[in-house]
Amino acid sequence: MTLLTVSAALPVFRPPPCSSTATSSCSEAAPWQLAVLYTALLLNAIGAGGYRPCIVAFGADQFDESQAAERARTWGFFNWYYFCNGASQLVAVTAVVYVQDNVGWGWGLGVPTFCMAVSVVAFVAGYPMYRRLEPAGSPFTRLVQVVAAAVRKRGVPRDVVDAGMLYENDEIDKPISMYGKLVHTEQLSFFDRAAIVTDGDLTTTSAAADNNKPPPPPVPNPWRLSTIHRVEELKSVLRMGPIWAAGILAITASSQQHTFSLQQASTMDRRLAPPSSFQIPAGSMTVFTMLALLATLLAYDRALVPLARRATGLPRGISYLTRIGVGLALSASATLVAGFVERRRRNCAAAVGATDAGMSPLSAYWLVPQYALHGVAEAFTSVGHLEFMYDQSPESMRSMATALFWLSISLGSYVSTALIDAVHRWSAGDDGSNWLPDNINHGKLDYFYWIVTLLQVVNLVYYVVCARCYTFKPVQMHDQVEEDDNGGKNQVEMQEKASPLGH
């Protein structure tokens, strides 16, 4: 951000301004100037890829899962995290954009740079107060080890091995299962082979045993033998995949706010009020999305959760799977409404003979419902998606799971680009026309919106099937430690199970 601000503030990093004469041409940026800009953008992307996934997981880790009261507060954290995220975006598209347009890009980029510096100071200052979990090795390595062990033993008949005979070792799993260990499930039974003990899987340490102490237990070769907890880690990640994939199309739909919805707004009457000459910038129409998002999150946390809690008995009011489903349905509704609004906008332009001019006399406030519906849908889908990824991921893989959430956002944008490119090709006419021309009055943008709606309806059906078939991770919580009659300590474990509709 500092490099980006400097490149915008100092003239040496920019090409000279264009001359006011009509015959002159603008100078292009020098290669080294572009290199500075691209380097700043690349560093920004790498930095965001580092802190965005970890902020969510690290924040939720501040609540002690061994305490029921704190575990229940975790779900409120996700709402308020996303509320702060939405509030910052609202400030960005209003106050920061105003500074950029009216003061200059140097100050416009300097303000968020200063805010980023404050956040770094706040993080470092609070570091001694945070609950910090020690790293316990690469989760990717453990997943690969399970696959390697299962493939190595693919010839072992699984049906002759009882589940109680699968390998367990609480001592080596302790660093990756602080609050509870995963127990065996029957799904994806091929990977159970990784926990079947065969010759050569266990090796005895060469250290001589003390006369007064028992010999040390044999050590498993992780590439040949995995504990059932590690096998279930892989199963949990694989089971999350279909639910995770359902969120991609929701991002594909919402990304149209920054492309075609923006194009719609730029061709409509954007006056704040009919007598006024002040026009709302087309790019600021996303304010309605942000306002709807913030209002929904606030109402959800303060009103809906307490009411739903009385009906369902769930600490979070409704399950995150239900929350995601509601959001997907609202997202489909948003694009359906967008198609009807676009048809009305185009018809109004044709009625006044402004088709070729690319303008329409229809008020831009007609776009508010689709923007607001996208905001409400995001409050349900995105936060529910975050809750799901955090809760259902293995304990030692939560930052990876929240990274998958941000990855789904990236993939949704790429799918949007691919879909637009496909519509360009499929709708191309012999005269070079298509549904999505530069002048949308000559196109069929409403058809495109309805294609996206149809895809979302299919995606919603797919999601409902996946949600009903989903198996929640079975975890034995380390509930408490009691002393036995001999003065020793026994680990008391509680089996936590949940149904798809009640989790």
Side-chain angles (χ1 to χ4, degrees):
M1 288 299 299
T2 301
L3 186 59
L4 196 61
T5 303
V6 170
S7 67
L10 300 182
V12 68
F13 289 99
R14 306 191 306 272
C18 299
S19 175
S20 58
T21 61
T23 57
S24 62
S25 60
C26 298
S27 301
E28 294 184 356
W32 71 269
Q33 292 172 329
L34 288 175
V36 171
L37 174 63
Y38 292 154
T39 300
L41 296 176
L42 177 62
L43 290 174
N44 202 358
I46 293 174
Y51 69 75
R52 280 189 179 179
C54 295
I55 278 180
V56 183
F58 184 72
D61 282 346
Q62 302 311 302
F63 300 91
D64 188 354
E65 286 191 40
S66 63
Q67 305 295 325
E70 287 204 33
R71 192 161 62 243
R73 291 171 59 195
T74 305
W75 313 116
F77 165 77
F78 288 108
N79 273 325
W80 288 107
Y81 162 78
Y82 218 84
F83 182 89
C84 293
N85 192 44
S88 66
Q89 292 184 50
L90 182 62
V91 172
V93 299
T94 54
V96 175
V97 169
Y98 177 84
V99 172
Q100 290 172 348
D101 290 343
N102 295 277
V103 181
W105 279 93
W107 282 101
L109 291 170
V111 170
T113 301
F114 174 77
C115 293
M116 180 65 76
V118 171
S119 70
V120 173
V121 172
F123 175 76
V124 174
Y127 189 77
M129 297 182 289
Y130 300 136
R131 294 180 68 247
R132 301 187 299 276
L133 305 181
E134 294 298 325
S138 168
F140 296 104
T141 301
R142 292 199 301 275
L143 297 179
V144 173
Q145 287 172 339
V146 173
V147 174
V151 172
R152 183 188 293 269
K153 299 174 184 177
R154 61 188 178 277
V156 176
R158 169 65 184 85
D159 53 355
V160 301
V161 178
D162 185 79
M165 299 173 60
L166 298 176
Y167 182 66
E168 295 185 68
N169 191 321
D170 292 345
E171 189 62 30
I172 65 173
D173 285 339
K174 187 176 181 180
I176 60 175
S177 58
M178 293 182 61
Y179 296 115
K181 66 177 181 179
L182 300 176
V183 296
H184 178 256
T185 59
E186 294 296 334
Q187 284 185 324
L188 304 170
S189 59
F190 171 81
F191 297 106
D192 291 343
R193 290 173 171 80
I196 297 175
V197 182
T198 59
D199 293 339
D201 290 347
L202 297 169
T203 57
T204 304
T205 56
S206 58
D210 191 287
N211 292 332
N212 299 326
K213 295 181 180 180
V219 178
N221 179 347
W223 294 97
R224 293 178 57 93
L225 179 65
S226 296
T227 64
I228 194 61
H229 174 85
R230 300 181 182 218
V231 172
E232 290 299 323
E233 281 188 330
L234 175 62
K235 290 184 182 182
S236 296
V237 172
L238 294 176
R239 281 194 293 257
M240 289 164 57
I243 301 291
W244 167 80
I248 294 176
L249 272 182
I251 303 301
T252 299
S254 63
S255 65
Q256 309 310 323
Q257 299 175 88
H258 310 290
T259 53
F260 293 117
S261 294
L262 181 65
Q263 195 171 4
Q264 284 177 289
S266 64
T267 66
M268 299 171 75
D269 180 5
R270 290 178 279 108
R271 287 178 295 171
L272 192 61
S276 172
S277 60
F278 177 79
Q279 288 195 339
I280 302 173
S284 296
M285 292 295 292
T286 53
V287 167
F288 296 107
T289 301
M290 294 295 104
L291 290 175
L293 169 67
L294 298 179
T296 303
L297 289 174
L298 191 62
Y300 185 93
D301 190 78
R302 292 304 180 190
L304 179 59
V305 170
L307 291 174
R309 187 182 292 142
R310 298 173 188 172
T312 64
L314 295 175
R316 66 180 70 94
I318 62 175
S319 72
Y320 39 66
L321 290 183
T322 301
R323 186 171 186 173
I324 295 173
V326 171
L328 293 177
L330 289 171
S331 181
S333 301
T335 49
L336 179 65
V337 169
F340 286 111
V341 171
E342 166 57 19
R343 172 159 291 191
R344 180 173 177 81
R345 186 207 62 80
R346 194 174 63 243
N347 289 342
C348 287
V352 297
T355 298
D356 292 334
M359 299 302 294
S360 173
L362 191 66
S363 171
Y365 287 118
W366 277 81
L367 298 176
V368 171
Q370 68 195 60
Y371 276 106
L373 279 171
H374 277 301
V376 177
E378 185 176 356
F380 279 85
T381 305
S382 295
V383 181
H385 210 172
L386 268 178
E387 290 180 351
F388 168 77
M389 299 300 290
Y390 180 86
D391 183 65
Q392 288 301 295
S393 65
E395 184 181 317
S396 60
M397 300 183 185
R398 283 172 171 167
S399 60
M400 181 190 78
T402 50
L404 288 174
F405 165 76
W406 293 107
L407 180 62
S408 68
I409 294 178
S410 300
L411 291 177
S413 298
Y414 281 115
V415 170
S416 175
T417 302
L419 182 60
I420 292 171
D421 184 62
V423 169
H424 271 294
R425 294 198 309 270
W426 294 339
S427 63
D430 294 336
D431 57 352
S433 63
N434 60 74
W435 287 0
L436 306 173
D438 292 337
N439 184 348
I440 57 176
N441 286 341
H442 291 292
K444 298 289 184 181
L445 179 57
D446 49 340
Y447 289 180
F448 174 78
Y449 278 133
W450 290 334
I451 287 176
V452 176
T453 302
L454 177 61
L455 291 175
Q456 287 186 284
V457 171
V458 173
N459 184 58
L460 179 59
V461 173
Y462 157 82
Y463 170 79
V464 170
V465 173
C466 292
R468 289 193 171 274
C469 297
Y470 183 75
T471 299
F472 289 92
K473 69 175 185 181
V475 58
Q476 280 185 325
M477 301 295 293
H478 301 318
D479 188 38
Q480 57 185 0
V481 177
E482 295 181 346
E483 290 194 1
D484 59 22
D485 295 336
N486 298 322
K489 291 185 177 180
N490 293 326
Q491 182 74 51
V492 178
E493 296 176 330
M494 174 189 67
Q495 178 72 33
E496 183 183 270
K497 291 186 177 179
S499 66
L501 296 179
H503 196 80

